[in-house]
Amino acid sequence: MSKTNFPPSIKTRPVYAELEPRPGTAHVIIADGEGAEAVAHLLAKVPDRALMLARTHILYTPGPNGTDQWAAVLAFGAAQAYCAPTIPAMLPRMAKVVAEAHMGTQFYLAGTEGLIGQAEREIMMTGLPFAAIQKEHRGSTVRRVQCVHCKGITENVATDPFKCSHCGLNLFVRDHYSRRIAAFQGVNIDAEDPGLVPAAVEKFK
Amino acid sequence: MSLDFKPARGDFFKDETFRDDFTFKNSPAAIRRFPFPFDRDEYMYSVNMEPHVSTRPGSVFEHTFDVDEHYVAEMIDRAKVLAEDPLRCQSLPHMTLAGWDLLELIMESNAREYPQWFSLTKNGNQWHWINRPLGIDQKFTFLDESTLPYGPMEYITRQTQGDFSLQDERDGSLWMDAGMITTQADWSLDFDVGMNFMEWHAPVPLAHEKMVFDRALKFLLKLQQGSPVRRFNWTMTVNPLLDTAPETYPKWGPTKTSLTQENLGHKQHLRVELQALFRLPRSNAIAFSIRAYLGKFEELVTVPKWGRRLHRVIRDIHPDIAAYKGFWRNQPAMVEWLAKYDDGAPTSPGVWPDA
Ligand code: HEM
């Protein structure tokens, strides 16, 4: 499967590209679901694979669609590899790994937008340079959406509109993305005509 | 709700509301000085910026920060919004110095330009600020946060009409890292805080393609201290509701369906934002002031030129702009109502009423 091609509709959508090996004193790979395939692709391109793997820490979790390639990730043979059951469960360890990273560390984020966004936010908070972060989208295109009304975040949104999992309002997904929140913006679709909610269409898979 | 100031309105500042019973209206003098934003009979996005210099005594361009008859009522409305939702005012930790810069700019400008209402005396860093319309008398130490009841940006913008955002400059862009946003045209500070210039402008249609934002950003990065610039933006609001926030859209959205030809002149408001940009001295940040003026359609058409022009602009507006500004559903009703005030006569260039 090749990297996801998004329609060019939105200006704030994060830009994704294929992961490329870069020289670094350490490598942190954070991936979910089909992101494992992007990592395999990356490692296949590395000139000195053993050297890179000896300095690599991989954090992995199955994707929101259930794709679990942990066995393949483990088989890469990185110095450290860890599998979390979900993204929230991964966050405390990710925070520590990122906080302890030093200049010269390369970050490779691969998988869904939710995973990439939350990892990027963690790295941004440390003040490490953006230039050290690469992102490749793979797998599910479900979105993380923040309800602009109640502020609750609904994970893995597949349809537009959808029901906020916190306050229950019917929201449409606005093409507006916050890296700080790592989420798109959800806005009440029937505010002007309460009850008039168009049928939900599966837009993100 | 209790206020932490004691308004002294005198006979200039009005006792009026921007919520519930909506008693806001403009005096005849306020209508004459309304910042009508259209200098021709059509509208399209452009890089519309000019030096923010004092022109036309009595107009909204006379002062650095315009203080008008709605001042006290707007500050009471802001205090209510903040009590209901404190997330409308945010400042990321590195923005405190920019907040002091803003406090200094506003206090110095207002004390100089409105000595009857504001006074600032300084003895080194020991400052004494008096705001007579709000009944505030405050001694504090400049650059010492512990001597004010709020952070410096929040302190001064609770006493200043209009929204404010503070932009840090780094990596070749501007980052909206602080703001006091309670009179916004449907955008969320809580969502946008921390974004850069291109990111927060992402939802705007047409303008990206016209390179408006690339050129505006390039211009702003060169902004010099002491040479502020200004521009207009505008939208439409049903009822004189200053706080059209996305957060509360389910509450005010339904009012858009309440217009009839009978009530439209009274309920429908042209909402004009006079925006100014200032380079700040210590932080090198850029302060952005967004001052919203509300004008009822029935008030604006008392100036014949404005009635004619508003009709033509709204009739011919690009549908993507009408949709983005949220008046697409009411556009036909507005045009029908305004048509009565357009006899087809030519209009003079520029925004000012004909003498
Ligand atoms: C640094 C100062 C500025 C800030 C903080 C700012 C902020 C914003 C925000 C938050 C929006 C609403 C976006 C949304 O829908 O979510 C907006 C809209 C817009 N901005 Fe800016 N802006 C700034 C400067 C400028 C400048 C210099 C221009 C010059 C061309 C400009 C042109 C526009 C336009 C055309 C819109 C669409 C407005 C409408 O149709 O109602 N902005 N801006």
Side-chain angles (χ1 to χ4, degrees):
Chain A
M1 203 189 112
S2 65
K3 73 185 183 66
T4 315
N5 283 312
F6 289 104
S9 64
I10 152 167
K11 313 280 180 320
T12 15
R13 174 182 284 291
V15 179
Y16 305 109
E18 231 171 86
L19 300 179
E20 293 295 336
R22 286 193 194 147
T25 50
H27 304 272
V28 174
I29 296 175
I30 305 175
D32 73 346
E34 290 85 349
E37 294 161 18
V39 178
H41 211 78
L42 166 76
L43 291 173
K45 288 187 274 189
V46 183
D48 190 342
R49 185 178 165 119
L51 177 72
M52 172 162 172
L53 281 168
R55 299 171 173 179
T56 294
H57 189 159
I58 304 181
L59 295 91
Y60 181 80
T61 184
N65 56 2
T67 303
D68 183 354
Q69 303 185 347
W70 168 236
V73 171
L74 195 58
F76 293 147
Q80 277 176 284
Y82 154 76
C83 183
T86 62
I87 296 175
M90 179 197 279
L91 289 177
R93 177 156 170 169
M94 188 201 296
K96 181 158 194 294
V97 170
V98 168
E100 290 173 354
H102 37 74
M103 286 293 166
T105 301
Q106 293 293 329
F107 294 92
Y108 306 86
L109 318 180
T112 63
E113 216 152 32
L115 180 280
I116 293 174
Q118 290 175 83
E120 185 181 32
R121 178 180 56 176
E122 210 60 64
I123 300 166
M124 271 168 65
M125 287 194 302
T126 64
L128 288 162
F130 277 122
I133 309 174
Q134 293 183 64
K135 305 174 280 188
E136 178 169 343
H137 190 279
R138 292 271 184 145
S140 170
T141 58
V142 292
R143 290 180 169 188
R144 224 171 104 83
V145 184
Q146 187 194 44
C147 173
V148 76
H149 313 293
C150 81
K151 307 294 180 185
I153 289 176
T154 303
E155 305 280 351
N156 305 325
V157 172
T159 65
D160 196 4
F162 72 100
K163 216 180 224 338
C164 174
S165 62
H166 301 264
C167 69
L169 282 176
N170 292 294
L171 307 179
F172 72 93
V173 184
R174 197 171 182 226
D175 268 347
H176 200 21
Y177 181 84
S178 160
R179 288 195 281 181
R180 190 182 61 91
I181 306 170
F184 288 85
Q185 187 173 64
V187 180
N188 189 196
I189 195 165
D190 58 336
E192 297 182 21
D193 307 280
L196 265 183
V197 182
V201 178
E202 187 176 21
K203 272 208 191 157
F204 323 113
K205 292 206 168 126
Chain B
M1 197 205 69
S2 67
L3 293 172
D4 52 7
F5 51 86
K6 296 175 259 352
R9 288 192 181 84
D11 47 15
F12 180 68
F13 298 110
K14 299 175 65 173
D15 186 1
E16 61 188 354
T17 56
F18 299 91
R19 54 177 68 214
D20 306 323
D21 56 352
F22 291 114
T23 58
F24 163 91
K25 63 180 188 333
N26 288 299
S27 68
I31 297 172
R32 274 196 307 280
R33 74 195 293 281
F34 188 83
F36 190 76
F38 305 114
D39 63 354
R40 64 198 74 184
D41 290 354
E42 58 189 22
Y43 177 80
M44 180 36 80
Y45 293 139
S46 64
V47 188
N48 53 335
M49 282 189 272
E50 63 174 20
H52 185 37
V53 290
S54 178
T55 49
R56 293 231 173 198
S59 80
V60 301
F61 293 149
E62 179 177 2
H63 299 106
T64 312
F65 301 98
D66 184 42
V67 178
D68 70 7
E69 63 188 25
H70 308 298
Y71 173 53
V72 173
E74 286 188 26
M75 293 302 96
I76 293 173
D77 196 64
R78 167 157 293 162
K80 289 180 178 170
V81 173
L82 290 170
E84 284 164 12
D85 182 2
L87 293 177
R88 306 299 190 78
C89 179
Q90 299 194 34
S91 180
L92 300 184
H94 59 281
M95 296 306 282
T96 306
L97 185 61
W100 285 110
D101 276 333
L102 180 69
L103 173 142
E104 176 188 58
L105 175 68
I106 295 176
M107 285 187 178
E108 288 190 341
S109 305
N110 283 359
R112 184 177 62 241
E113 298 173 19
Y114 302 97
Q116 72 278 32
W117 294 328
F118 306 102
S119 112
L120 178 66
T121 28
K122 296 184 192 172
N123 180 3
N125 274 354
Q126 303 306 308
W127 290 24
H128 183 192
W129 167 248
I130 299 175
N131 177 333
R132 291 184 194 92
L134 296 188
I136 292 171
D137 185 316
Q138 178 82 43
K139 296 194 169 104
F140 64 100
T141 308
F142 186 65
L143 299 178
D144 179 355
E145 268 192 278
S146 68
T147 60
L148 283 177
Y150 304 100
M153 177 192 72
E154 177 165 358
Y155 179 76
I156 195 58
T157 55
R158 278 176 177 266
Q159 303 178 42
T160 314
Q161 283 169 282
D163 284 350
F164 285 83
S165 66
L166 296 175
Q167 283 64 229
D168 191 31
E169 179 174 334
R170 57 179 193 274
D171 302 332
S173 192
L174 297 172
W175 301 77
M176 192 198 293
D177 286 344
M180 165 66 90
I181 306 292
T182 67
T183 67
Q184 67 286 278
D186 201 7
W187 63 277
S188 167
L189 172 73
D190 183 50
F191 193 76
D192 286 7
V193 70
M195 286 189 190
N196 66 37
F197 192 84
M198 293 303 167
E199 289 176 332
W200 78 64
H201 279 127
V204 181
L206 305 169
H208 291 271
E209 291 75 2
K210 293 178 188 298
M211 304 303 282
V212 165
F213 294 120
D214 297 85
R215 283 157 51 215
L217 176 60
K218 220 178 242 167
F219 182 92
L220 289 184
L221 292 176
K222 288 189 246 157
L223 189 68
Q224 298 290 314
Q225 197 203 326
S227 308
V229 296
R230 66 182 167 225
R231 64 183 295 269
F232 278 137
N233 187 39
W234 63 277
T235 188
M236 292 289 176
T237 304
V238 176
N239 289 331
L241 180 65
L242 278 174
D243 179 30
T244 48
E247 278 77 1
T248 52
Y249 176 47
K251 280 196 209 148
W252 55 266
T255 61
K256 291 196 198 176
T257 61
S258 67
L259 293 184
T260 63
Q261 287 302 305
E262 288 63 49
N263 67 19
L264 195 147
H266 186 69
K267 279 180 93 101
Q268 181 62 56
H269 295 70
L270 174 63
R271 178 191 193 103
V272 177
E273 294 176 351
L274 173 57
Q275 307 177 338
L277 293 130
F278 305 84
R279 177 72 73 178
L280 299 174
R282 297 173 189 76
S283 58
N284 197 43
I286 287 183
F288 185 56
S289 64
I290 315 154
R291 172 66 183 282
Y293 295 84
L294 294 167
K296 298 177 190 296
F297 273 24
E298 68 189 11
E299 294 172 342
L300 300 174
V301 298
T302 60
V303 176
K305 169 176 166 181
W306 293 353
R308 293 186 184 105
R309 180 163 288 169
L310 190 57
H311 172 243
R312 296 168 200 179
V313 168
I314 300 308
R315 182 191 60 199
D316 302 336
I317 193 90
H318 192 295
D320 290 0
I321 296 185
Y324 172 73
K325 290 180 188 284
F327 67 87
W328 184 79
R329 74 182 305 148
N330 287 325
Q331 185 191 11
M334 292 179 192
V335 173
E336 180 184 342
W337 191 90
L338 288 165
K340 303 191 291 275
Y341 301 91
D342 186 359
D343 55 9
T347 53
S348 58
V351 298
W352 307 105
D354 297 318

